Amino acid sequence: MAHYRLETSWHPVEGSFGRLTFTLFNLSAEPLSGFSLAYTSETRVADEHVCNGGDLKRRLAHFHEFLPHDGLSVPPGGHWRFTVEGLTREPKHATAGVKSAYLTFGDGRHVAVAFGDLMLEGRDDGVAPPLLPPGRVEEPYSLLPWPLSLGLKAGNLPNVLYPAAKTQPDAIKALCLVVELYQRLYPANNVPFSLSTVKGGRAIRFVTESSIAAFAYELRFTAHEIVLSSADAAGRQYGLISLAQLLHGARAEPEIFKFPNFGAIADQPRYDWRGCHLDVSRQFYPVADVTRLIDILAWNKLNIFHWHLTDDEAWRLEIKAYPALAEIGARRGPDEVLVPQLGDGAEPRFGHYTQDDVRRIVAHAASLHVEVVPEIDIPGHSTATLLSLPQLVDGQEAPDSYRSVQGYPNNALNPAVEFTYEFLGKVFDEMVTLFPSEYLHIGGDEVARGSWLASPLCKALMERENLAGTAELQSYFLKRIKVMLSERGRKLAGWNEVSHGGGVDRDGTLLMAWEKPAVGIELAQEGYDVVMTPGQAYYLDMAQAEAWAEPGAAWAGYAPPEHTYAYEAEGELPEAVQEKMRGIQACIWTENFVSRAYFNRLVFPRLAAVAEAAWTRLERKDWNRFAAIVRMWPVL
């Protein structure tokens, strides 16, 4: 049992964002004195606040440290209570409270503090509705995403599927890859495929058919064999995954799902870009978790893994030219350069991906026809970078001259510091050897208003280049970055704010519209290729219901799985610019994912809902069918 426990509650107050009450219980056998209390929370205390019973000693973004009044001693079994009014926003859910806590004593010791959810006072907390209905199927086949066309007749369930005689080695290898994928996702289940002929099974005959579209496949079922036709390896894999899904459902829920004996499936993806993003800066995910997520993407026929490798909270990629990025920028803790954030407690937390790790992950993804698109977030969201490499800072710029929306001071790479470009050039040089992807994502989001305006170097740059304000400085910076990427054979991808201040050359640029759906329309009309990933539908960290007890973020409202499933990004775009829409993407931001249970509760089944929206045309979608099938789908 913990020696100390922190309970927190929030009470609404008219005319403000409410009042927080903190109660620290001393469960030890000794009096508690001479300490400070540190905690991390997305509900941040504002500069202008009133604290009764204690004092704010230090705050940096989500990190807070409070002191009791002088002379306080908490006896065994006693408590210390203080309140704070003056917050940067109103909490909406129980997960908006404390994410980690610890005490620091005068001798430098840090001791963990247990804590619970943020309690709601003085208001009804609402009731969270069921997120999935029981589901109902008109056609008894477990396929997700649902195919373009299907005409099948159910029959006997084969024991297993196996390659027909004289199958080519490349098709055998493809089948082996999918059976291994299935074994990783469902290790307790019988495999769907065998490489050997099995009595009671059914043969798969592979046909290469050049008239079939790229990434498409066709399946024809007879009593004796299944013919899988495709023009390329990706289409063949998608066909094999569909066969594995059909067999999986018929075995798992035989009273609902069947395996076809006769008929055909013709299928191809709706969009080229069917993506899922993962933020590994706020929370670090080891290689095994990343590869499992990629397995889940492949099972759902998603083909892009957007890997968000850097942010204010950490830099996670080994760069041999600058080892400090991993040595300093990937560590957070009470005595580290980067203070605790978002779940870090008394013990330091660290983690980064070596270049060998990256090569393994990229190769694993490629074997499953998933492209890894890496992101280093610049020029904003760069606190970890700047603290790791102080030579990137304009030393004449006043500290805390601007703050990001998350509360980080002076967190953007300076466009007027020439070392910025030398640094990024070396980073890009190493990244292009690791990631063969067409695009390199450079972020470009949430650069704080007023960034760099107190920098003498930037003032001189603005005068020299006739630039006005932060947005035009960012455009100047990103134009140089785009040239650097082009010189290395890569195209620029970024968030929608890349378009600000004049943006960059539209040719070879892909922007992700995240703030709201209307932004995607504006970008397409400006001539950018667009991936739609609006927070209101496709951000999988958003709470799934309005109720207080439902976990997740709140800035974009809430998105139940049915809303995520039904949302049609294409429907927002005028017909004249629909060709600029490359596809859609789910985003997994990890501020709220301090446990595996929260990850799985928030990401699934919404990730599969996005996958079906990316693959399946509107007229083929069916929420009740999806709900019946997705219950059998894997989680992290």
Side-chain angles (χ1 to χ4, degrees):
M1 188 181 81
H3 288 309
Y4 310 102
R5 184 172 181 87
L6 180 65
E7 300 291 356
T8 58
S9 61
W10 176 78
H11 192 285
V13 175
E14 190 173 346
S16 80
F17 289 139
R19 180 177 63 250
L20 291 173
T21 299
F22 298 84
T23 308
L24 177 68
F25 291 88
N26 180 9
L27 306 175
S28 75
E30 301 293 332
L32 173 62
S33 61
F35 67 94
S36 66
L37 168 67
Y39 69 88
T40 66
S41 174
E42 284 193 282
T43 300
R44 300 192 309 277
V45 175
D47 289 342
E48 299 295 325
H49 66 272
V50 175
C51 182
N52 289 311
D55 296 292
L56 180 63
K57 175 184 178 184
R58 185 168 54 137
R59 185 202 60 229
L60 178 61
H62 310 295
F63 172 84
H64 301 73
E65 187 174 14
F66 278 87
L67 288 170
H69 290 160
D70 288 347
L72 178 77
S73 179
V74 183
H79 64 266
W80 166 46
R81 178 173 289 133
F82 64 97
T83 64
V84 181
E85 190 170 340
L87 310 174
T88 59
R89 63 181 174 185
E90 179 181 317
K92 300 285 189 181
H93 299 279
T95 46
V98 170
K99 288 182 164 47
S100 60
Y102 63 90
L103 302 181
T104 299
F105 292 97
D107 59 4
R109 287 182 301 125
H110 308 291
V111 178
V113 172
F115 58 92
D117 287 340
L118 181 62
M119 298 295 169
L120 175 63
E121 298 180 29
R123 198 175 75 191
D124 178 31
D125 61 358
V127 177
L131 298 177
L132 272 180
R136 183 183 65 254
V137 297
E138 301 293 334
E139 297 173 277
Y141 306 107
S142 62
L143 289 166
L144 200 166
W146 195 250
L148 182 63
S149 71
L150 171 151
L152 299 172
K153 183 178 179 182
N156 294 328
L157 180 64
N159 293 340
V160 75
L161 309 179
Y162 57 84
K166 299 182 181 178
T167 296
Q168 294 296 309
D170 62 334
I172 297 284
K173 287 181 180 178
L175 186 144
C176 198
L177 276 168
V178 174
V179 76
E180 289 174 358
L181 169 67
Y182 185 86
Q183 286 178 295
R184 293 192 297 271
L185 295 177
Y186 298 102
N189 291 18
N190 294 332
V191 296
F193 305 134
S194 168
L195 300 189
S196 300
T197 303
V198 176
K199 188 174 182 180
R202 197 172 305 171
I204 307 171
R205 182 157 57 87
F206 294 87
V207 175
T208 301
E209 180 57 71
S210 59
S211 63
I212 294 177
F215 314 118
Y217 67 92
E218 294 177 0
L219 288 167
R220 284 187 288 116
F221 297 85
T222 73
H224 304 294
E225 70 172 4
I226 300 164
V227 179
L228 169 53
S229 302
S230 62
D232 55 30
R236 179 175 60 196
Q237 175 185 282
Y238 297 143
L240 286 168
I241 287 174
S242 289
L243 288 173
Q245 291 180 353
L246 286 165
L247 205 54
H248 177 74
R251 288 170 170 174
E253 300 280 356
E255 70 283 359
I256 300 173
F257 298 107
K258 309 299 179 185
F259 194 85
N261 264 17
F262 297 98
I265 296 171
D267 200 9
Q268 67 183 78
R270 181 180 187 182
Y271 297 121
D272 293 339
W273 189 287
R274 305 181 305 281
C276 176
H277 149 293
L278 178 66
D279 161 25
V280 297
S281 179
R282 277 58 177 251
Q283 311 294 340
F284 179 72
Y285 293 86
V287 171
D289 287 352
V290 176
T291 54
R292 180 169 175 85
L293 180 61
I294 290 168
D295 284 345
I296 293 169
L297 304 190
W299 181 251
N300 286 282
K301 300 190 177 85
L302 292 164
N303 69 336
I304 300 290
F305 174 54
H306 171 178
W307 201 4
H308 185 86
L309 288 159
T310 75
D311 215 297
D312 288 305
E313 288 80 5
W315 178 289
R316 301 295 190 188
L317 176 64
E318 178 191 19
I319 298 296
K320 294 185 184 298
Y322 301 105
L325 290 169
E327 292 167 0
I328 297 173
R331 299 181 62 90
R332 300 194 300 257
D335 300 313
E336 303 295 331
V337 175
L338 273 68
V339 301
Q341 299 288 349
L342 298 168
D344 307 325
E347 298 296 323
R349 287 207 298 175
F350 50 89
H352 73 278
Y353 304 97
T354 68
Q355 295 197 358
D356 284 342
D357 291 336
V358 170
R359 291 186 186 96
R360 286 196 298 273
I361 289 168
V362 169
H364 178 79
S367 74
L368 296 170
H369 299 281
V370 175
E371 180 179 343
V372 179
V373 176
E375 178 186 355
I376 58 161
D377 202 347
I378 56 174
H381 287 287
S382 292
T383 296
T385 311
L386 292 164
L387 290 176
S388 301
L389 298 172
Q391 59 267 48
L392 288 165
V393 176
D394 177 359
Q396 305 172 83
E397 184 177 15
D400 208 359
S401 57
Y402 63 89
R403 287 189 200 171
S404 74
V405 67
Q406 289 84 12
Y408 285 95
N410 292 26
N411 73 328
L413 298 180
N414 192 310
V417 172
E418 201 56 32
F419 178 60
T420 297
Y421 305 98
E422 177 187 337
F423 158 68
L424 290 172
K426 291 180 179 178
V427 170
F428 295 152
D429 285 341
E430 295 190 30
M431 290 182 73
V432 298
T433 69
L434 298 171
F435 299 99
S437 57
E438 179 182 11
Y439 289 95
L440 200 157
H441 201 294
I442 52 74
D445 62 314
E446 294 187 325
V447 171
R449 185 176 300 174
S451 293
W452 310 307
L453 300 186
S455 162
L457 290 175
C458 275
K459 289 177 181 177
L461 174 63
M462 287 192 288
E463 186 173 343
R464 188 168 68 249
E465 298 290 336
N466 195 28
L467 303 172
T470 296
E472 290 189 15
L473 276 168
Q474 172 168 302
S475 177
Y476 166 87
F477 170 82
L478 291 175
K479 285 173 181 174
R480 288 188 64 172
I481 297 304
K482 183 169 172 64
V483 170
M484 293 169 66
L485 293 178
S486 297
E487 290 170 349
R488 291 160 175 83
R490 295 295 187 271
K491 296 178 180 178
L492 184 150
W495 302 107
N496 54 248
E497 296 97 319
V498 168
S499 65
H500 293 180
V504 299
D505 183 1
R506 278 62 169 161
D507 185 38
T509 297
L510 178 71
L511 298 188
M512 296 181 175
W514 68 273
E515 289 182 279
K516 54 186 176 181
V519 170
I521 299 173
E522 295 164 9
L523 293 175
Q525 290 172 334
E526 290 174 23
Y528 289 104
D529 286 346
V530 179
V531 169
M532 297 290 273
T533 179
Q536 295 76 8
Y538 292 163
Y539 269 35
L540 305 187
D541 59 318
M542 290 297 125
Q544 297 178 89
E546 191 173 12
W548 180 266
E550 195 65 32
W555 68 263
Y558 59 95
E562 186 173 7
H563 173 69
T564 298
Y565 182 82
Y567 179 73
E568 278 291 309
E570 188 174 289
E572 307 278 350
L573 286 168
E575 189 174 345
V577 294
Q578 284 191 358
E579 75 279 358
K580 303 303 292 181
M581 181 172 161
R582 291 281 303 281
I584 65 176
Q585 178 170 291
C587 286
I588 304 173
W589 298 102
T590 58
E591 289 93 334
N592 285 285
F593 294 164
V594 293
S595 72
R596 180 65 55 90
Y598 274 147
F599 186 102
N600 285 333
R601 180 169 172 174
L602 284 157
V603 170
F604 306 105
R606 291 188 294 182
L607 179 59
V610 177
E612 185 144 296
W615 183 280
T616 306
R617 296 185 183 280
L618 171 61
E619 63 273 13
R620 300 286 291 163
K621 290 163 67 176
D622 182 308
W623 166 243
N624 277 302
R625 180 192 63 225
F626 172 85
I629 295 170
V630 79
R631 299 171 186 281
M632 302 181 291
W633 256 224
V635 299
L636 196 67

